[in-house]
Amino acid sequence: MVLREVVVNSEIIEYNDISGCYILRPWAMEIWELLKEFFDAEIKKLKLKSYYFPLFITENVVQKKKDHFEGFAPEVAWVTKTGNSELEAPIAIRPTSETVMYPYFAKWIRSHRNLPLRCNQWCSVVRWECSNPIPLIRSREFLWQEGHTVFATKEESDEEVLHILELYRRIYEEFLAVPVSKGRKSEVEKFAGGLYTTSVEAFIPNTGRGIQAATSNCLGQNFAKMFEIFFEDENDPAQKKKEKNKRSLVWQNSWAYTTRSIGVMVMTHGDDKGLVLPPRVAPIQVMVIPDPLEDADMTAIKEVCETIVYTLSQAGIRADLDARENYTPEWKHSHWEMKGVPLRIEIDVKDLANKQVRVVRRDNGAKVDIPSTDLVEHVQVLLDRIQDSLFETAKQKRDACIEVVYTWDEFTAAVNDKKLILAPWCDEEEVEKDVRARTEGDLGSAKTLCAPFDQPDLVEGTVCFASGKPAKTWSFWGRSY
Ligand SMILES: O=C1CCCN[C@@H]1CCCn1cnc2cc(F)c(Cl)cc2c1=O
Ligand SMILES: [Mg+2]
């Protein structure tokens, strides 16, 4: 089932009249909140502080940095009037918050005692992209967190970039059960204003496209120069000798993940019955459904169901009961399968008599009768097994798509076979641009996804698949979202 159908049928998304804008319904927001709960707790351990900066950016601020943002100008949405009166100067809606935040970082940072400054905000951003919108994957407004941190030294900055990247890997692999590759973006793909960009990259086997899952940038001192963010570093011996107020430029990072993560999960695990939710992000992990025969004692069955829901909930399992009388059990089974609920518990009079329940797994359809005595342990074991099985299955599928190539012909064949390509590369920008040009097609061109930190051996003398020059690094290539 295609993404658009799954997200609507599973009640994750409702389409809205503005193209590229979507309503996130509870089934999406509860997943987002489970991810946020984990990530926010982790960054609070790193002493990140919560901020909220304005949605609006004055034109002169955006124009002042226009050289930096010139490539993005077409995506910026502007407010030009209120009521019937034109605004004197148009106001931009934030597509990202560097230009909103950094003038204040410059104001707030005077000495090294103000450092590190660690700012995170949970908000939405607007990017009026014109390429075809895809719910959750490419929308004109999306939810994200954006972390913006400021350090006195490059070492602190480098270390945090990787710490945050590991949190993003955990979000995908431990919660969404999506395998991702950590790596470094090429000079062409990196955040233009930064020093280097690291990312976690996912891959969608069905479409054969890579997708950037989250990004963690080291900005170096580039934005410090642009926004004049200095600090007086009494510890710097050089400053002792020179004039008192010799100041140093700060080192900065910025990092984000978005509601795109939910879309990647849907595409990774969905099947022809609809959504398949990894238990750790399932708003409901177990749905209890009474399965009465005609003249069954409904009250007795319902009581048992309510006790089961209560017992599971007390154990911290997100369980619910669907005892609606206006729907048949069969309707309910397919409804909750469509919504991807990991486990279904069916109760009928036979189960009542045998003091057991029937548990059905959403991921592989397995049915098992378990005693209603040690139900909690059984259910928790099953949920953990589903979580691991979804990840392992997705990892095998993704790994089966990886193709190692050494020549141009092997490369183009692999692109057409919708593979995730691993190729030795000379790491030259011009060569990457050339590959993109030469692979242009109606399905889009191939580009670098990342140079994985986990590098295979690069045998001496290996040449770049595209240029024939000495290869410097292995890189993932492919079509992408
Ligand atoms: O990736 C992150 C982590 C969180 C904070 N931001 C950076 C860079 C974002 C790049 N980027 C991405 N998209 C943009 C769209 C725009 F319209 C404008 Cl004006 C700027 C940008 C832009 O800078
Ligand atoms: Mg963009």
mmCIF file of all heavy atoms in Angstrom, residues 437-460:
data_model
loop_
_atom_site.group_PDB
_atom_site.id
_atom_site.type_symbol
_atom_site.label_atom_id
_atom_site.label_comp_id
_atom_site.label_asym_id
_atom_site.label_seq_id
_atom_site.Cartn_x
_atom_site.Cartn_y
_atom_site.Cartn_z
ATOM 1 N N ALA A 437 24.842 15.048 -13.030
ATOM 2 C CA ALA A 437 24.414 15.480 -14.371
ATOM 3 C C ALA A 437 24.247 14.269 -15.276
ATOM 4 O O ALA A 437 23.244 14.139 -15.982
ATOM 5 C CB ALA A 437 25.443 16.445 -14.931
ATOM 6 N N ARG A 438 25.209 13.337 -15.181
ATOM 7 C CA ARG A 438 25.179 12.193 -16.097
ATOM 8 C C ARG A 438 24.075 11.182 -15.751
ATOM 9 O O ARG A 438 23.731 10.339 -16.564
ATOM 10 C CB ARG A 438 26.550 11.481 -16.092
ATOM 11 C CG ARG A 438 27.647 12.303 -16.749
ATOM 12 C CD ARG A 438 29.035 11.799 -16.357
ATOM 13 N NE ARG A 438 29.338 10.470 -16.902
ATOM 14 C CZ ARG A 438 30.441 9.794 -16.579
ATOM 15 N NH1 ARG A 438 31.289 10.291 -15.695
ATOM 16 N NH2 ARG A 438 30.665 8.612 -17.120
ATOM 17 N N THR A 439 23.554 11.258 -14.516
ATOM 18 C CA THR A 439 22.503 10.287 -14.156
ATOM 19 C C THR A 439 21.127 10.942 -14.128
ATOM 20 O O THR A 439 20.169 10.352 -13.634
ATOM 21 C CB THR A 439 22.779 9.663 -12.774
ATOM 22 O OG1 THR A 439 22.917 10.747 -11.834
ATOM 23 C CG2 THR A 439 24.050 8.830 -12.795
ATOM 24 N N GLU A 440 21.024 12.195 -14.620
ATOM 25 C CA GLU A 440 19.716 12.867 -14.693
ATOM 26 C C GLU A 440 18.726 11.941 -15.382
ATOM 27 O O GLU A 440 19.069 11.259 -16.349
ATOM 28 C CB GLU A 440 19.819 14.150 -15.536
ATOM 29 C CG GLU A 440 20.212 15.380 -14.757
ATOM 30 C CD GLU A 440 19.209 15.745 -13.657
ATOM 31 O OE1 GLU A 440 18.038 15.315 -13.718
ATOM 32 O OE2 GLU A 440 19.623 16.438 -12.727
ATOM 33 N N GLY A 441 17.514 11.895 -14.878
ATOM 34 C CA GLY A 441 16.496 11.073 -15.552
ATOM 35 C C GLY A 441 15.164 11.378 -14.928
ATOM 36 O O GLY A 441 15.089 12.134 -13.948
ATOM 37 N N ASP A 442 14.090 10.761 -15.436
ATOM 38 C CA ASP A 442 12.775 11.145 -14.900
ATOM 39 C C ASP A 442 12.599 10.656 -13.457
ATOM 40 O O ASP A 442 11.720 11.120 -12.750
ATOM 41 C CB ASP A 442 11.656 10.615 -15.791
ATOM 42 C CG ASP A 442 11.835 9.123 -16.060
ATOM 43 O OD1 ASP A 442 12.812 8.561 -15.506
ATOM 44 O OD2 ASP A 442 11.035 8.553 -16.793
ATOM 45 N N LEU A 443 13.501 9.762 -13.017
ATOM 46 C CA LEU A 443 13.386 9.330 -11.612
ATOM 47 C C LEU A 443 14.330 10.135 -10.723
ATOM 48 O O LEU A 443 14.494 9.837 -9.555
ATOM 49 C CB LEU A 443 13.696 7.827 -11.504
ATOM 50 C CG LEU A 443 12.602 6.898 -12.039
ATOM 51 C CD1 LEU A 443 13.075 5.451 -12.037
ATOM 52 C CD2 LEU A 443 11.328 7.041 -11.218
ATOM 53 N N GLY A 444 14.981 11.148 -11.319
ATOM 54 C CA GLY A 444 15.920 11.949 -10.527
ATOM 55 C C GLY A 444 17.313 11.366 -10.638
ATOM 56 O O GLY A 444 17.487 10.194 -10.979
ATOM 57 N N SER A 445 18.304 12.173 -10.293
ATOM 58 C CA SER A 445 19.688 11.732 -10.492
ATOM 59 C C SER A 445 20.233 11.079 -9.226
ATOM 60 O O SER A 445 19.653 11.200 -8.151
ATOM 61 C CB SER A 445 20.549 12.942 -10.846
ATOM 62 O OG SER A 445 20.365 13.941 -9.863
ATOM 63 N N ALA A 446 21.357 10.397 -9.409
ATOM 64 C CA ALA A 446 22.022 9.756 -8.267
ATOM 65 C C ALA A 446 22.960 10.769 -7.617
ATOM 66 O O ALA A 446 23.567 11.587 -8.297
ATOM 67 C CB ALA A 446 22.816 8.553 -8.751
ATOM 68 N N LYS A 447 23.017 10.723 -6.305
ATOM 69 C CA LYS A 447 23.927 11.629 -5.607
ATOM 70 C C LYS A 447 24.495 10.929 -4.373
ATOM 71 O O LYS A 447 24.051 9.832 -4.010
ATOM 72 C CB LYS A 447 23.213 12.909 -5.215
ATOM 73 C CG LYS A 447 21.969 12.716 -4.385
ATOM 74 C CD LYS A 447 21.256 14.075 -4.255
ATOM 75 C CE LYS A 447 20.184 14.046 -3.208
ATOM 76 N NZ LYS A 447 19.566 15.343 -2.952
ATOM 77 N N THR A 448 25.467 11.592 -3.752
ATOM 78 C CA THR A 448 26.032 10.974 -2.551
ATOM 79 C C THR A 448 25.003 11.083 -1.429
ATOM 80 O O THR A 448 24.293 12.084 -1.314
ATOM 81 C CB THR A 448 27.316 11.701 -2.092
ATOM 82 O OG1 THR A 448 26.988 13.060 -1.853
ATOM 83 C CG2 THR A 448 28.427 11.567 -3.102
ATOM 84 N N LEU A 449 24.940 10.052 -0.606
ATOM 85 C CA LEU A 449 24.030 10.071 0.552
ATOM 86 C C LEU A 449 24.852 10.383 1.800
ATOM 87 O O LEU A 449 24.519 11.267 2.583
ATOM 88 C CB LEU A 449 23.311 8.730 0.654
ATOM 89 C CG LEU A 449 22.513 8.365 -0.613
ATOM 90 C CD1 LEU A 449 22.082 6.909 -0.594
ATOM 91 C CD2 LEU A 449 21.320 9.298 -0.795
ATOM 92 N N CYS A 450 25.968 9.652 1.953
ATOM 93 C CA CYS A 450 26.958 10.004 2.987
ATOM 94 C C CYS A 450 28.173 9.108 2.789
ATOM 95 O O CYS A 450 28.103 8.069 2.135
ATOM 96 C CB CYS A 450 26.411 9.810 4.404
ATOM 97 S SG CYS A 450 26.301 8.091 4.936
ATOM 98 N N ALA A 451 29.288 9.537 3.343
ATOM 99 C CA ALA A 451 30.473 8.677 3.398
ATOM 100 C C ALA A 451 30.398 8.009 4.771
ATOM 101 O O ALA A 451 30.590 8.690 5.785
ATOM 102 C CB ALA A 451 31.733 9.505 3.255
ATOM 103 N N PRO A 452 30.053 6.719 4.808
ATOM 104 C CA PRO A 452 29.797 6.071 6.104
ATOM 105 C C PRO A 452 31.023 6.104 7.013
ATOM 106 O O PRO A 452 32.154 5.930 6.549
ATOM 107 C CB PRO A 452 29.417 4.643 5.723
ATOM 108 C CG PRO A 452 29.969 4.425 4.364
ATOM 109 C CD PRO A 452 29.947 5.762 3.686
ATOM 110 N N PHE A 453 30.784 6.371 8.301
ATOM 111 C CA PHE A 453 31.900 6.317 9.268
ATOM 112 C C PHE A 453 32.491 4.908 9.259
ATOM 113 O O PHE A 453 33.688 4.720 9.410
ATOM 114 C CB PHE A 453 31.387 6.642 10.669
ATOM 115 C CG PHE A 453 30.970 8.066 10.853
ATOM 116 C CD1 PHE A 453 30.044 8.415 11.834
ATOM 117 C CD2 PHE A 453 31.483 9.080 10.048
ATOM 118 C CE1 PHE A 453 29.660 9.738 12.022
ATOM 119 C CE2 PHE A 453 31.106 10.403 10.222
ATOM 120 C CZ PHE A 453 30.199 10.733 11.208
ATOM 121 N N ASP A 454 31.591 3.914 9.055
ATOM 122 C CA ASP A 454 32.045 2.523 9.041
ATOM 123 C C ASP A 454 32.554 2.189 7.639
ATOM 124 O O ASP A 454 31.801 1.680 6.800
ATOM 125 C CB ASP A 454 30.846 1.641 9.438
ATOM 126 C CG ASP A 454 31.228 0.177 9.507
ATOM 127 O OD1 ASP A 454 32.440 -0.109 9.434
ATOM 128 O OD2 ASP A 454 30.315 -0.671 9.602
ATOM 129 N N GLN A 455 33.827 2.541 7.378
ATOM 130 C CA GLN A 455 34.403 2.423 6.033
ATOM 131 C C GLN A 455 34.940 1.014 5.789
ATOM 132 O O GLN A 455 35.708 0.504 6.594
ATOM 133 C CB GLN A 455 35.575 3.402 5.881
ATOM 134 C CG GLN A 455 35.151 4.850 5.662
ATOM 135 C CD GLN A 455 34.807 5.135 4.206
ATOM 136 O OE1 GLN A 455 35.578 4.784 3.300
ATOM 137 N NE2 GLN A 455 33.659 5.718 3.985
ATOM 138 N N PRO A 456 34.545 0.375 4.673
ATOM 139 C CA PRO A 456 35.242 -0.871 4.302
ATOM 140 C C PRO A 456 36.706 -0.547 3.969
ATOM 141 O O PRO A 456 37.052 0.624 3.759
ATOM 142 C CB PRO A 456 34.498 -1.325 3.042
ATOM 143 C CG PRO A 456 33.256 -0.506 2.949
ATOM 144 C CD PRO A 456 33.533 0.767 3.687
ATOM 145 N N ASP A 457 37.563 -1.590 3.896
ATOM 146 C CA ASP A 457 38.967 -1.341 3.526
ATOM 147 C C ASP A 457 39.019 -0.689 2.148
ATOM 148 O O ASP A 457 38.265 -1.082 1.246
ATOM 149 C CB ASP A 457 39.729 -2.677 3.461
ATOM 150 C CG ASP A 457 39.965 -3.207 4.868
ATOM 151 O OD1 ASP A 457 39.811 -2.378 5.806
ATOM 152 O OD2 ASP A 457 40.249 -4.400 5.030
ATOM 153 N N LEU A 458 39.864 0.298 1.994
ATOM 154 C CA LEU A 458 40.067 0.879 0.666
ATOM 155 C C LEU A 458 41.436 0.409 0.190
ATOM 156 O O LEU A 458 42.472 0.928 0.612
ATOM 157 C CB LEU A 458 40.013 2.410 0.747
ATOM 158 C CG LEU A 458 39.996 3.146 -0.588
ATOM 159 C CD1 LEU A 458 38.824 2.687 -1.450
ATOM 160 C CD2 LEU A 458 39.894 4.645 -0.368
ATOM 161 N N VAL A 459 41.410 -0.605 -0.665
ATOM 162 C CA VAL A 459 42.663 -1.235 -1.101
ATOM 163 C C VAL A 459 43.510 -0.219 -1.880
ATOM 164 O O VAL A 459 42.967 0.534 -2.709
ATOM 165 C CB VAL A 459 42.345 -2.453 -1.995
ATOM 166 C CG1 VAL A 459 43.610 -3.022 -2.608
ATOM 167 C CG2 VAL A 459 41.595 -3.509 -1.190
ATOM 168 N N GLU A 460 44.809 -0.194 -1.581
ATOM 169 C CA GLU A 460 45.754 0.694 -2.261
ATOM 170 C C GLU A 460 45.550 0.564 -3.770
ATOM 171 O O GLU A 460 45.378 -0.543 -4.276
ATOM 172 C CB GLU A 460 47.188 0.270 -1.869
ATOM 173 C CG GLU A 460 48.287 1.220 -2.315
ATOM 174 C CD GLU A 460 48.058 2.638 -1.775
ATOM 175 O OE1 GLU A 460 47.604 2.754 -0.607
ATOM 176 O OE2 GLU A 460 48.245 3.584 -2.547
#
